[in-house]
Amino acid sequence: MKVLVMGGTWFLGRHIAEGAIARGWEVTTFNRGRSGVDVPGVVPVHGDRTVVADVQRLAGHGPWDAVIDTSSSDLAPRDVRLTASALREVAGRWVHISTVSVYAGWPHQRLTDDSDLLDCPADADETYGYTGEDGSPTTYGFQKAGGERAVAEAFGARAVFLRPGVILGPGEYVGRLPWWLRRVLRGDRFLAPVPASRLIQPVDVRDVAAFALDQAACTDGGGYNVTHPEGISFEAFLRACCMVTDAVAVPVWVEPQVLLEHGVRQWTELPLWRTQEGVWAVDSSRAVAAGLRCRPIGETIRDTWEWLASEGRPVPHPRWAEHGIAPDKEARILASL
């Protein structure tokens, strides 16, 4: 099996490249060579996906049985289209890592793989779309929907779209789980959002990588939601964070309205917390039927802490700074309760 991994040096892309090597596959990676280092055993090709000459040069390294695209998060649809169009004659299929943000109903509605997508043309530039007053839909969601359309136009039934919600695990660059681990490590009382029993659905990066590789070797196309089918309650999530860090910390469960009145930003200041009904109601049964297997989220928490405790360092990314409530703000809210 010969695969091309778009990206391949950090977090999901790196796990995919390492997993493909472990399966005995021939792996080419394409990236700018600026973030992370190449996985041993791959054939690295460096270039920019927005530069026509670089993409044409990449196509000359083919053919491949499959492309797995992990690097389109910051690309406009027209740039995804450039790459997909250039590679459609030298790749058997395209596995596209997308997001649940492409759904018109996210995060307000319960979602299946057949829910309606946001509308964005395949040739849109980076200005297309908008972010709603309540934070949904998002420009990011429109852009990713346009990227899906660009791939679909180039590969048709040979395209597979994986739509994760939140991906956690060793190497995480966004900082959601690392922030919670470091917060409980500080000890004392800390803010926790009611209801404690609410299930969340983050999925382990290693499980997404394995599923992406499985799909690269399949012949079916279509879309799959990639979320944890069982989930974990917020209370159990925080308890696991305390357990793996040996922290002596006490959650103070606070009603959402109180947090909002104090200006706590959903999704970022208390990572993984959002009040909308559909944010953690994404059905992944089709992916499970197709072979998605998700380890217990407690294992993800443990392994992420072990990575951090062993001086694990994520690739620098601006989103890291967005996550976590400032200690003085948290202290003021706790004191007011």
Side-chain angles (χ1 to χ4, degrees):
M1 183 84 177
K2 298 179 65 176
V3 296
L4 167 63
V5 181
M6 307 297 288
T9 60
W10 48 293
F11 201 40
L12 178 57
R14 188 172 190 86
H15 282 286
I16 288 174
E18 290 174 342
I21 291 291
R23 295 186 185 202
W25 296 0
E26 296 181 37
V27 183
T28 303
T29 58
F30 183 70
N31 54 68
R32 293 177 297 178
R34 299 176 185 174
S35 300
V37 296
D38 295 310
V39 170
V42 307
V43 176
V45 180
H46 293 158
D48 191 323
R49 292 184 60 172
T50 67
V51 177
V52 173
D54 287 0
V55 174
Q56 291 176 340
R57 177 169 53 84
L58 171 64
H61 288 265
W64 299 278
D65 297 300
V67 175
I68 306 177
D69 185 4
T70 72
S71 68
S72 65
S73 292
D74 299 324
L75 290 180
R78 66 180 180 184
D79 296 321
V80 177
R81 187 188 198 188
L82 168 65
T83 315
S85 298
L87 299 181
R88 63 183 165 192
E89 300 301 328
V90 293
R93 61 198 276 105
W94 185 291
V95 179
H96 193 73
I97 309 301
S98 187
T99 169
V100 294
S101 295
V102 298
Y103 288 114
W106 192 86
H108 298 284
Q109 301 171 7
R110 292 180 172 273
L111 297 174
T112 71
D113 303 280
D114 299 316
S115 297
D116 291 337
L117 304 183
L118 294 169
D119 186 24
C120 179
D123 60 352
D125 65 17
E126 63 279 1
T127 66
Y128 191 92
Y130 65 92
T131 297
E133 292 184 3
D134 67 346
S136 64
T138 61
T139 301
Y140 171 74
F142 280 103
Q143 293 279 307
K144 291 291 281 186
E148 284 197 16
R149 180 171 290 183
V151 171
E153 289 183 358
F155 279 79
R158 297 183 292 144
V160 181
F161 303 100
L162 307 188
R163 299 175 182 132
V166 170
I167 303 176
L168 303 178
E172 184 196 339
Y173 65 91
V174 175
R176 296 182 176 105
L177 177 51
W179 184 85
W180 277 115
L181 289 165
R182 288 169 173 163
R183 174 60 193 92
V184 301
L185 185 64
R186 295 207 322 261
D188 206 354
R189 301 190 307 155
F190 64 94
L191 292 175
V194 169
S197 60
R198 186 178 191 185
L199 294 179
I200 59 177
Q201 297 177 285
V203 64
D204 191 290
V205 61
R206 295 163 292 186
D207 298 329
V208 180
F211 188 59
L213 291 168
D214 290 345
Q215 290 305 305
C218 288
T219 57
D220 296 334
Y224 296 95
N225 295 332
V226 184
T227 56
H228 202 289
E230 299 172 1
I232 188 173
S233 71
F234 223 112
E235 181 178 27
F237 173 84
L238 295 180
R239 186 166 59 245
C241 289
C242 292
M243 184 178 301
V244 301
T245 59
D246 290 324
V248 181
V250 179
V252 178
W253 295 96
V254 183
E255 293 289 341
Q257 188 57 40
V258 175
L259 295 172
L260 295 173
E261 288 172 356
H262 282 89
V264 178
R265 294 192 304 275
Q266 299 185 54
W267 208 234
T268 53
E269 285 195 297
L270 290 183
L272 307 179
W273 168 60
R274 200 162 180 173
T275 58
Q276 291 91 342
E277 178 184 357
V279 65
W280 296 117
V282 182
D283 177 30
S284 59
S285 58
R286 182 184 294 174
V288 171
L292 173 67
R293 297 293 178 265
C294 292
R295 69 198 68 204
I297 295 172
E299 184 177 328
T300 303
I301 295 170
R302 181 200 66 200
D303 292 350
T304 301
W305 173 245
E306 291 180 353
W307 165 68
L308 289 170
S310 63
E311 301 302 316
R313 292 288 184 271
V315 171
H317 195 280
R319 293 187 68 186
W320 187 278
E322 298 175 0
H323 291 86
I325 189 169
D328 57 344
K329 182 175 181 178
E330 182 184 36
R332 288 195 303 271
I333 296 172
L334 288 168
S336 71
L337 300 176

